[in-house]
Amino acid sequence: MPEPGPVLRPIGRVESPLVDAGGAPNQGDEGAPEAWLVLEASVQEAMRDLEIGAPAIVLTWLDRADRETLVVHPRGNRDRPPTGVFSTRSQDRPNPIGLHTVRILAIDGTRIRVRDLEALDGTPVLDIKPVLGPVGDR
Amino acid sequence: MPEPGPVLRPIGRVESPLVDAGGAPNQGDEGAPEAWLVLEASVQEAMRDLEIGAPAIVLTWLDRADRETLVVHPRGNRDRPPTGVFSTRSQDRPNPIGLHTVRILAIDGTRIRVRDLEALDGTPVLDIKPVLGPVGDR
């Protein structure tokens, strides 16, 4: 086994009507409801330039995932052949980091309203990043 | 302070000619050299369906980052106004997870040759994910 790794510091939590995995879409653009990212007050400075209407990348910690799984049936469909998890978006993987492209709908203090987030209610939020435009615009 | 968070398990390391931050491009499509992802034998099953020539998303742990930084001058340029890190791709942020879109050039056992990876030599690798195509192709 490799040595113990770095420790994450969740910066907030997802507030969403999605409360169980059975009801969640596989990806955010497949029918996810609107949700809130509720950030810790300690990181408020880091969010001060987020813009309403802009897309953003959200990283989450999929805390209900199985970290021992290396092979899955894609999208839980037993008719599809078993596939190595690095070729799937399965939540079950050694480091279950969720990668979501969302759109910012509103900002209220440290609460950020987004659409297209398929993460379950209570999921820890790890990071928010801008979507990269063309090289000259960065 | 929030409670201690989840512990990451690096799945491998980057082998790259990039050895110091001063020589590294800001993003992988801005002149990064080819590099290897050297994965642990314990996760080999998870990589069995990776395809040469395909794009992939690589997540890394930017272990030389400053996790206390919340505001930076974008791209280290002092002529640009200070900006909250959630609106930048700065490595300095509470959870310094690198997000890289690469192309797979070759696979040799648990070694994966990629282009467009700007991570420094020795950087821990956390995950590999497929780039999502249109909904019907997933």
Side-chain angles (χ1 to χ4, degrees):
Chain A
M1 284 294 291
E3 63 195 68
V7 178
L8 294 164
R9 299 178 197 160
I11 60 170
R13 296 267 169 186
V14 172
E15 271 186 20
S16 171
L18 295 174
V19 294
D20 71 281
N26 283 302
Q27 297 298 330
D29 57 357
E30 297 175 18
E34 294 180 6
W36 289 99
L37 308 175
V38 183
L39 300 198
E40 305 275 345
S42 60
V43 300
Q44 186 160 11
E45 271 291 282
M47 60 173 281
R48 67 183 207 179
D49 294 295
L50 295 180
E51 290 177 21
I52 294 166
I57 295 168
V58 176
L59 302 183
T60 61
W61 183 253
L62 302 170
D63 55 354
R64 280 150 273 196
D66 175 5
R67 302 182 68 179
E68 307 305 322
T69 297
L70 298 178
V71 176
V72 296
H73 293 278
R75 299 168 66 84
N77 181 348
R78 298 234 146 231
D79 292 337
R80 294 177 68 168
T83 305
V85 293
F86 297 157
S87 297
T88 83
R89 289 293 187 102
S90 171
Q91 68 166 359
D92 298 328
R93 52 206 312 122
N95 291 296
I97 297 170
L99 173 63
H100 320 268
T101 302
V102 305
R103 191 160 298 266
I104 297 174
L105 300 175
I107 298 173
D108 176 13
T110 59
R111 296 169 61 85
I112 306 167
R113 183 85 169 162
V114 300
R115 72 166 192 231
D116 295 338
L117 181 66
E118 78 280 14
L120 298 180
D121 186 58
T123 298
V125 178
L126 300 177
D127 198 10
I128 302 172
K129 297 182 190 292
V131 174
L132 285 180
V135 173
D137 294 343
R138 291 173 189 170
Chain B
M1 283 293 289
E3 61 196 68
V7 179
L8 294 165
R9 301 179 195 158
I11 59 169
R13 296 264 170 188
V14 171
E15 270 186 22
S16 171
L18 296 174
V19 293
D20 71 279
N26 283 303
Q27 297 298 330
D29 57 357
E30 297 174 19
E34 293 179 9
W36 289 100
L37 308 176
V38 183
L39 300 199
E40 305 276 345
S42 59
V43 299
Q44 186 161 11
E45 271 292 282
M47 59 174 281
R48 68 183 205 178
D49 294 294
L50 295 178
E51 290 176 20
I52 294 166
I57 294 168
V58 176
L59 301 183
T60 61
W61 183 253
L62 303 170
D63 54 354
R64 280 148 274 196
D66 175 4
R67 302 182 68 178
E68 308 305 323
T69 298
L70 298 177
V71 176
V72 296
H73 293 277
R75 299 168 66 86
N77 181 348
R78 298 234 145 230
D79 293 337
R80 293 177 69 169
T83 305
V85 295
F86 297 157
S87 298
T88 84
R89 288 292 188 105
S90 170
Q91 68 167 359
D92 298 328
R93 54 205 310 122
N95 291 296
I97 297 170
L99 173 62
H100 321 267
T101 301
V102 305
R103 191 161 297 265
I104 297 173
L105 301 174
I107 299 173
D108 177 11
T110 58
R111 296 170 61 84
I112 306 167
R113 183 84 169 161
V114 299
R115 73 166 191 233
D116 296 337
L117 181 66
E118 79 281 13
L120 299 180
D121 186 57
T123 299
V125 178
L126 301 178
D127 199 9
I128 302 173
K129 296 183 192 289
V131 174
L132 286 180
V135 173
D137 294 345
R138 292 176 188 169

